[in-house]
Amino acid sequence: MSDHEYTPKSKFGKWFNDRLPLLTLANHLTDYPTPKNLNYWWTFGGILTFCLITQIVTGLVLAMHYIAHADMAFDSVEHIMRDVNYGWLIRYIHANGASMFFLAVYIHIFRSLFYGSYKAPREIIWIIGIIIYLLMMAAAFLGYVLPWGQMSFWGATVITNLFSAIPLVGEGIVTWLWGGYSVDNPTLTRFFTLHYLIPFLILGLVVLHIWALHVPGNNNPVGIDVKKPSKDTVPFHPYIVIKDGFALLMFMIVFAFFVFYTPNILGHADNYIEANPLVTPAHIVPEWYLLPFYAILRSVPDKLLGVVAMLSAILILAALPWLDTSKIRSAVFRPLYKQFYWILVADVLILGYVGAMPAEGLYLLVARVATAYYFLHFLVILPVLGWKEKTLPIPLSITEPILGGSPNLATAKNKESLNN
Amino acid sequence: MAEKETKRRDFLFTATYAVGAVGAAAVVWPMIDQMNPDASVKALASTEVDVSALNPGKTITVLWRGKPVFIRRRTQSEIAEARSVKLEELKHPEKDEDRAKNPEWLVMLGVCTHLGCVPLDQKGEYNGWFCPCHGSHYDISGRIRKGPAPTNMEIPKYEFVNANTIKIG
């Protein structure tokens, strides 16, 4: 938070601000002191906001033409693609936008893992983030059902059937979710309603996420607390706004590449076949961003335990601030953690790869090892590492290593004063 | 305030909370129950199928309550195979006699009990069905033999209306 009190210059501004302090909020957001060493990995918060707005705007437009009915949904999507002015563009932006959203969120999450952004005092920001991530997965799944293609239908069948693993009440819950005895029209209409609702829940949580962020301020690549405002910070505007804007442009190039050159590469051809409850596609795979969890589900030979393992793999992240016992945030000063971090990245990528492959033979073996390692990382390696690891000395300020490269505070201070 | 005395006001608070909770539950329940199968879905609860054209060794798939139902007219060797399996070998022990009252006719939900895919006919390691989604193998009685599915494929309620017609549901 800005320490100084803000008073609008104009008389009207002052009158308005006394009644609704929106201008104080705007001033806080522009002046918000930001660590000056933030690198490009920190630009994904802004990129994600862009993704959310894009999905909401394109989704709103699609909903004007889409018909949520089992007999008409598939045709209405083709109607959007062929008849509606720029319908193809809007739908491709929305469909690829989901993938771009997940691409950005994974980078955002792994940035947090590398620089220890989830640690005190930022646990609440992190947990809100995990809830947003869960809601994103729900929205993505529900949205994928709406075109009512073969993958829509069978994806919906498989995912809703996960609930049947719950002892005693499982079957009842599945029937309740379906509104019938199989995935059918009642399922489609409620999925559409929820798909429309969730982005606004996410929007509300994003406000809380940013609010919680603005209490302690941003973490930074060095991972130390910075005094705000100080020589270690710059105002959010224009410094971070320009940097975020540039990164966003780069991101939009990638986005546009998918939309204009390979709009279907991230989807499945089977989803251009209308849903048929009598025929299951030969190979059901979820969208790429859910593959690691799908691999975990399939690596456990028991139905209930498979579901439990998959959910635990996500929920374990919420406990991360307490599982990681190290007081040092940034992996830059944690030589061992840095190596385990990259092993985890590789592990998740491997899980994603085997999740796309048939669950048999070597793939199944690899999936099992990778699943075991995933849990090992969070439940054993992280807690133990916090006690055992010999960390490198952390600098006293962000400015210090830049000015002197010397751990000596006096030298750094001296140089800093010379620069003034 | 060391000892808390029960006063008339405490009673009023408790009574108010209780009535409020009952009221909230009464409002919430319709909101939850509206998602359960409605009257029009329940009305489609039974289907009649003409099986006169079905030859031994063939399976037809019909839709019942939105789900596929396999009707297989089994050959003598298939019946013998299904009935010769020892119960100890089964993950979900069920006698074939209990699954197919009339041994020639196997009527079952064509839904894999793992996550609800439709298994493929005459595939897999047990000459029965094979689910392509996560690799469950079923035998010629629709019993789970290998893979992640926990139970045998379900037998719906059905009856022969006459020699050529099966009524499911």
Side-chain angles (χ1 to χ4, degrees):
Chain A
M1 298 271 168
S2 312
D3 290 332
H4 60 279
E5 282 296 315
Y6 169 73
T7 325
K9 287 191 187 73
S10 74
K11 213 175 161 196
F12 174 73
K14 196 176 171 327
W15 178 88
F16 185 87
N17 205 48
D18 284 345
R19 282 149 186 81
L20 179 66
L22 273 184
L23 293 169
T24 302
L25 178 65
N27 176 256
H28 162 76
L29 293 175
T30 32
D31 280 1
Y32 173 65
T34 321
K36 66 180 179 188
N37 59 339
L38 295 190
N39 56 32
Y40 275 106
W41 300 114
W42 258 266
T43 59
F44 282 86
I47 287 170
L48 283 162
T49 312
F50 166 81
C51 289
L52 179 61
I53 304 292
T54 305
Q55 290 306 86
I56 289 178
V57 172
T58 51
L60 213 74
V61 175
L62 288 173
M64 293 179 186
H65 304 280
Y66 171 77
I67 302 166
H69 189 282
D71 296 337
M72 288 177 267
F74 187 83
D75 290 343
S76 76
V77 171
E78 283 310 305
H79 161 73
I80 289 170
M81 293 303 288
R82 292 153 195 254
D83 304 339
V84 175
N85 301 330
Y86 294 104
W88 60 272
L89 177 65
I90 295 156
R91 177 164 175 266
Y92 278 154
I93 291 175
H94 196 73
N96 286 284
S99 282
M100 293 301 113
F101 206 156
F102 276 95
L103 176 68
V105 92
Y106 282 128
I107 295 174
H108 194 62
I109 291 171
F110 275 98
R111 186 270 290 157
S112 196
L113 291 179
F114 188 84
Y115 294 110
S117 301
Y118 49 85
K119 290 184 194 182
R122 297 184 180 83
E123 302 96 319
I124 299 293
I125 312 173
W126 171 256
I127 289 170
I128 292 173
I130 297 299
I131 299 171
I132 293 173
Y133 174 50
L134 277 171
L135 285 175
M136 277 175 63
M137 290 199 273
F141 160 68
L142 295 169
Y144 197 58
V145 175
L146 302 185
W148 212 239
Q150 273 290 68
M151 275 297 169
S152 301
F153 184 90
W154 291 101
T157 300
V158 168
I159 300 294
T160 47
N161 261 310
L162 292 178
F163 291 91
S164 71
I166 303 168
L168 302 175
V169 291
E171 294 294 337
I173 289 175
V174 174
T175 305
W176 177 72
L177 288 173
W178 287 340
Y181 305 103
S182 63
V183 173
D184 210 333
N185 194 49
T187 326
L188 177 60
T189 50
R190 67 190 55 180
F191 275 24
F192 178 56
T193 310
L194 296 173
H195 181 70
Y196 209 126
L197 167 72
I198 288 176
F200 296 99
L201 297 181
I202 294 178
L203 190 64
L205 284 166
V206 165
V207 171
L208 294 183
H209 194 64
I210 296 171
W211 186 0
L213 169 70
H214 280 228
V215 176
N218 290 69
N219 183 31
N220 63 79
V222 182
I224 55 167
D225 292 322
V226 290
K227 274 177 76 182
K228 299 173 291 283
S230 72
K231 294 203 89 45
D232 278 352
T233 65
V234 290
F236 187 77
H237 183 76
Y239 295 93
I240 303 298
V241 169
I242 295 298
K243 187 163 185 158
D244 276 3
F246 179 69
L248 180 60
L249 275 175
M250 293 296 118
F251 185 79
M252 283 160 83
I253 292 174
V254 178
F255 198 145
F257 171 80
F258 280 106
V259 169
F260 291 106
Y261 292 94
T262 58
N264 288 307
I265 198 166
L266 298 169
H268 295 286
D270 279 298
N271 223 27
Y272 282 101
I273 304 168
E274 192 169 0
N276 180 355
L278 293 178
V279 182
T280 307
H283 189 45
I284 295 187
V285 243
E287 294 281 80
W288 68 268
Y289 39 80
L290 301 175
L291 286 173
F293 300 108
Y294 193 60
I296 291 175
L297 169 76
R298 297 194 304 180
S299 70
V300 182
D302 182 86
K303 180 170 163 179
L304 177 61
L305 292 180
V307 176
V308 169
M310 183 181 70
L311 290 176
S312 310
I314 305 167
L315 294 177
I316 204 170
L317 294 171
L320 185 58
W322 296 275
L323 289 172
D324 185 347
T325 50
S326 174
K327 292 276 178 279
I328 306 296
R329 292 197 192 101
S330 176
V332 171
F333 304 104
R334 300 184 61 191
L336 282 177
Y337 174 73
K338 195 191 264 179
Q339 294 173 34
F340 284 114
Y341 170 85
W342 288 111
I343 296 173
L344 180 73
V345 172
D347 188 63
V348 172
L349 290 175
I350 289 168
L351 278 172
Y353 174 74
V354 293
M357 295 294 139
E360 57 197 29
L362 187 63
Y363 293 126
L364 191 57
L365 182 69
V366 172
R368 285 181 176 159
V369 173
T371 298
Y373 183 81
Y374 181 90
F375 286 103
L376 194 74
H377 176 90
F378 289 107
L379 293 175
V380 180
I381 294 173
L382 282 188
V384 173
L385 213 54
W387 304 319
K388 299 280 181 199
E389 187 177 33
K390 187 152 168 37
T391 55
L392 304 175
I394 54 169
L396 295 164
S397 74
I398 292 171
T399 324
E400 184 199 323
I402 299 163
L403 286 178
S406 152
N408 186 328
L409 180 64
T411 322
K413 277 234 168 97
N414 207 5
K415 288 200 173 182
E416 198 173 349
S417 58
L418 281 176
N419 280 3
N420 281 340
Chain B
M1 294 295 280
E3 259 178 79
K4 205 170 180 309
E5 214 181 318
T6 311
K7 296 215 178 84
R8 188 157 33 173
R9 180 146 297 192
D10 295 323
F11 172 77
L12 284 173
F13 279 141
T14 310
T16 311
Y17 295 145
V19 172
V22 170
V27 175
V28 166
W29 176 246
M31 296 295 159
I32 293 172
D33 192 44
Q34 54 82 22
M35 279 173 68
N36 272 317
D38 60 34
S40 72
V41 171
K42 285 181 183 161
L44 301 170
S46 76
T47 306
E48 288 195 9
V49 189
D50 180 6
V51 292
S52 56
L54 193 59
N55 292 320
K58 294 282 176 213
T59 306
I60 53 166
T61 307
V62 295
L63 208 56
W64 172 63
R65 302 206 304 196
K67 282 180 178 167
V69 172
F70 294 153
I71 301 176
R72 182 168 182 84
R73 187 169 189 179
R74 299 190 296 186
T75 61
Q76 287 308 316
S77 67
E78 286 173 349
I79 296 168
E81 185 188 332
R83 306 226 149 166
S84 67
V85 178
K86 291 197 188 70
L87 284 186
E88 302 87 74
E89 294 171 27
L90 298 170
K91 187 174 176 182
H92 176 198
E94 268 187 321
K95 283 187 187 164
D96 185 63
E97 285 84 343
D98 296 332
R99 292 179 59 80
K101 293 273 190 280
N102 179 345
E104 201 178 355
W105 297 94
L106 178 65
V107 180
M108 68 180 175
L109 280 187
V111 175
C112 179
T113 55
H114 182 226
L115 293 173
C117 298
V118 180
L120 303 171
D121 196 26
Q122 299 302 289
K123 290 258 169 64
E125 294 171 16
Y126 293 88
N127 298 323
W129 286 265
F130 170 71
C131 182
C133 292
H134 305 98
S136 292
H137 299 256
Y138 296 89
D139 65 14
I140 195 62
S141 185
R143 294 175 295 201
I144 180 66
R145 302 299 289 272
K146 187 182 170 188
T151 57
N152 302 335
M153 279 194 266
E154 203 183 317
I155 305 291
K157 194 169 151 267
Y158 69 91
E159 59 184 2
F160 277 87
V161 182
N162 55 52
N164 290 330
T165 312
I166 298 178
K167 182 182 168 207
I168 306 166

